[in-house]
């Protein structure tokens, strides 16, 4: 992997004059959001930002959009979705901090004259604090007479059901436990195979959780690896299929949402 | 450039198990902080995060430290140091947001058991909000019985004076106007030449400012390019000299500060 | 219905001296959380607080616990889960406000010496702001040496799957669209039939939503009634079955979680 | 008592469609605010919310208004007005939290198109944080072009002086110490006699306080019961007189303030 | 008047070494709080800070205490107590800002090792935000193991009733309307006669207010001068009597409260 | 010194009616900002507020402006600029508190109709939190349609270089270490000689600092006196020269900035 992929889509990698030219055609601006969170003994802790940025870049490429620098820290990991806060390395924000990050960035792009934003979320726990940041930014924009349309997408919701069923051979149990498991491992193998430590793939296991959360977090039911579902059947091929189908679905959805012919 | 450089130093690119092993020897943890800010018609807007991260990685390599994902958004650009907020693309945070980012991240690494942190600042305007984030984190850590030693470095203060004098041929006017000028352009040519748009180097000019600030920002005295001092004499060779001498000075300082033999 | 039901479980309806006596046996303290949100042309806007309080009271009765006054305002309604903020009457809080409410109340019960708290959520959109309030309260409690164990329950997750399947005659589509629909209407018919305006039951319809959210909210896909799934097959009998089975499951879960023999 | 009293005035007990119809005639919207605070060994801790809601409902009935769900948690109890924070059960909010609650709710009713709001306070300590919430909401509303007229009433200020003098047989010492004493006990006997534990009426006593406050609160001068003045002469008859005269005075005042003919 | 009066009591006028010496005997530290608020056509807008500081200095002189720089901005003026926010010149803080000022200053003096603080309030509207600042500071101090005893005094509550009755010739109507009227005018004549514009004494009049507050503030019932009660009978002699008797009463109270023999 | 100097320029010392008359000619309003911070064994801790207010008064006198009460508490002292927070007596604010103070005051003067404000800073550490307060106030003012022009001046930047060179006999090392040293001591001797404790002038010494900051502050390199550079050559004559030349330069700059003929 080199950073030359989609460099021209990265707002942090182009000049302000290039950005200014782009603005005249009212491009969709993407804000990828991730986390710094344990992803098992085999995946890097920055997974969620990598995936949300890579998906954003591909969708932006298709829609002639631009991608803001990803938010690489996210909300606190929960046992049932990410293994929880007890793992060293997981480095999370208070909810209000994440909300303020989103609000501030949206305020600024509104000032630039941006009209359409897609917040692409790669970390389950972020969703509601992103929602609040968007709401507060739009409230403020309304006072200032700035109009923007903003969508918030959890990228995994765009993966077609038939793709999931085929990858899991008809036994897809849902995304709830897919933390650092087959889906994410496959996607990383497709994107950055060197980031996957294949020598340390976890033994296949499932997180075992009740239907509620207990605090302070105690790690009950979280496999020692931090991986919540089997990863052993991962492959780059599956990863490419996941990425491509997800990107395609998101491209279609945003074309429709933003009325792009 | 590829992202394989110093990958093993990036906390976002290693696994939690690898991070855990590192922790046993109490490494210095680096937090690079940048901005998304116009850097003239020839440099990418993410310059400050790139420089602070690259310096951090090299110092971490020398001191066996680790580097957190850089903060890629910073405090509001000021006319006299960065050309100001009027350029499209400059995307800045409120002071409290930046402060909270730092406070939250420091709270988390304290929880990991980290004892020594170096916040490496690459954007003039960040300094005081970083300071406040550090202070609030240490106040909280004190209540919780967590001890940490934290340094905050503006990386440019480590460049030896004789290096600057030699690069500017004895006429170094000080760093105040060195925004997107010789120093930063040279460093980017050394690090990521493909990110420099040499066809669009700005005409040499200086920002012309009074000794105070006026608000709302009006752009007076800021060259149209956004570049505050001449960049035409930039070179990769100068950039390498700047980076190496700065890194060496910071390595020495941190060895001394953290009593590393 | 009269307010005499379970009055002795309501902290707001007993004296401080009675509360003090209860504290000696370390009861579980329940905090029900709802919302003020449209629930169709047939259900009252305070539904979510009613349900979370009624469930809390019944579980508290079984476990000899006590119930705090419910939070009757919640986080902003979303189109896909509650029809959204465009309906008059829906009266929602900013995320930070809800978080602070929870944090403040938990700080106070910690001061009382309470050791076990169950936050019972009745409004989908509240979940993450409750989580944050719990986390902030426990962080503070840790500094002060107060230990508390807190669970956060979305009450609907406790309804046994077989009950749902039987009520929906084997075609339960999941709770996602069950806003002001069969489940809530049946429960209200069981609890407070006079609160249900049977003359204004909505025509059966489903909300039609994409797999992402768009802001500012536009009401697309939300039936004009605000009801997101059919309610016509509701009955008090079904409501009683829902409530009883949910309460029983929660009683078992909390007995187990709090190690009550 | 049953909750069927004034149910049609409670916004939390009617449907959004009913609420929408009400809005066309620009009704006064009432927001009752109370507290969860010790009220002696004989009165329930939710007294203040009960009284402010009951007064609101009766005034709303007279003026064809509607009543929001009461805020059942208030600002921190002070020794001189409520016995202070040292009693178990007293569960109070930080000032900013209460302010934000009011600000958020007022923002929302402004969005509904509400033009006239009466905040009815039932807890001395709330007054200034309610005032701030109102001020912040109106500042925001001004930015958004929403006009609202808001009054904030401490309900006890509406009780006619001659009623007080007659109830206290010409020796009314002022409301300052009337915490859980004759006035509140009588009102509760009138409203919800079953909520009064007549077997545990406190021995008549007065709080003994200096003319300043000392922190941390130490309980000096607060009778062990938490009751700050004699309650033994309470009666439902007196309570009815208090409630009716207070309600009548408030009805007149609001008719005048809101220019209702 | 010269600033040489009580200079040695002013922490802002002594050196840190002098302060350090004082600390060894654990002096009471006074924090005077005022406002910048209209005080009629004859009194300066800084009245409240002047009075609270002058009272503090005199009490500190008697008790060998020290006085912090006064807070010269206060909470928003209300019609019934200060004429309201509609007068040009009145310059007020949000409640949270005033609270944070107090919290921050108390945190710092706790760090100095101060054990006893008297917050002397000179502006009615400040009271509850000062209370909250004290509470938050003590909460934090508790986490840090710092013990402090803090009193909050509204200075006017210390004026003996018989003094007031004598000054008003047996017809003292209470302090509620004493804004920029006889009491404050007399005190200023005693302290800084040159600050009183005797040529512009307002015509005697009373504010006429209902028993509730209406927002946005509309100025109803506020005399055009901003003065809420007659000032014409003011004199320096009365002022001296007021100041001396108030100071004496506060000295006694604090001796008692802080157990000073 | 008596407080009769420039009294007519102090908004806190004039009446609201006098202020109102001034407003008709759109005067520049000055907001001086200082700190409560150790200034060696010979200077009072309130130095920074004294200097910023005195400069403001003189500039206001020249430009027919008015001066708000100074902010007498500032941001946390740093070792390199003020000796740091370890000295007893230094009493500092959190950054957000200082920012809110400025924002609130600017909001209020905007309401008065003020169009031109000069924030005059006397404490290095305040600069960025003042900047943020100004930015937030202008953002809010923009929403409300209020236009204001605001400058923020560090007063020491206005002292002409030739004056500094002459006072330091050609060896001016820059202002960085001029804390409680020749410049401030001379200015205080010129303004309030009685506030200078000449018997306790510190032995001449320089602070010795690295080019970064370390936290928690440890006092390394800070002379025991708290004075960071020699003060022995101070004189009232030098002080007068400093003040006059600084004031003159600021008068010229503001005339130019605010287009005053």
């Amino acid at each position: 992997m080199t950073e030359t992929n989609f460099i021209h889509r990265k707002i942090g990698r182009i000049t302000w004059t290039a950005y200014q030219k782009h603005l005249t055609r009212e491009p969709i601006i993407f804000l990828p959001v991730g986390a710094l969170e344990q992803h098992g003994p085999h995946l890097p802790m920055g997974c969620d930002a990598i995936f949300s940025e890579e998906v954003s870049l591909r969708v932006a490429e298709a829609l002639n959009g631009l991608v803001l620098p990803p938010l690489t820290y996210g909300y606190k990991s929960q046992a049932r979705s990410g293994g929880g806060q007890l793992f060293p390395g997981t480095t999370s924000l208070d909810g209000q901090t994440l909300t303020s990050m989103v609000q501030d960035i949206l305020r600024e792009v509104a000032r630039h004259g941006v009209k359409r934003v897609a917040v692409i979320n790669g970390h389950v726990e972020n969703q509601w604090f992103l929602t609040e940041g968007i709401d507060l930014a739009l409230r403020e924009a309304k006072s200032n007479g700035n109009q923007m349309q903003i969508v918030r997408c959890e990228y995994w919701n765009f993966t077609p059901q038939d793709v999931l069923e085929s990858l899991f051979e008809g036994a897809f149990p849902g995304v709830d436990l897919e933390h650092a498991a087959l889906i994410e491992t496959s996607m990383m193998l497709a994107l950055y195979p060197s980031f996957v430590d294949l020598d340390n793939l976890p033994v296949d296991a499932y997180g075992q959780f009740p239907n509620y959360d207990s605090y302070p977090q105690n790690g009950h039911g979280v496999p020692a690896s931090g991986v919540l579902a089997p990863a052993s059947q991962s492959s780059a091929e599956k990863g490419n299929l996941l990425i491509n189908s997800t990107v395609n679905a998101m491209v279609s959805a945003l074309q429709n949402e933003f009325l792009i012919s």
Side-chain angles (χ1 to χ4, degrees), chain A residues 29 143 214:
Chain A
I29 302 297
S143 292
S214 186

Side-chain angles (χ1 to χ4, degrees), chain A residues 87 222-227:
Chain A
F87 289 87
V222 181
S225 66
V227 180

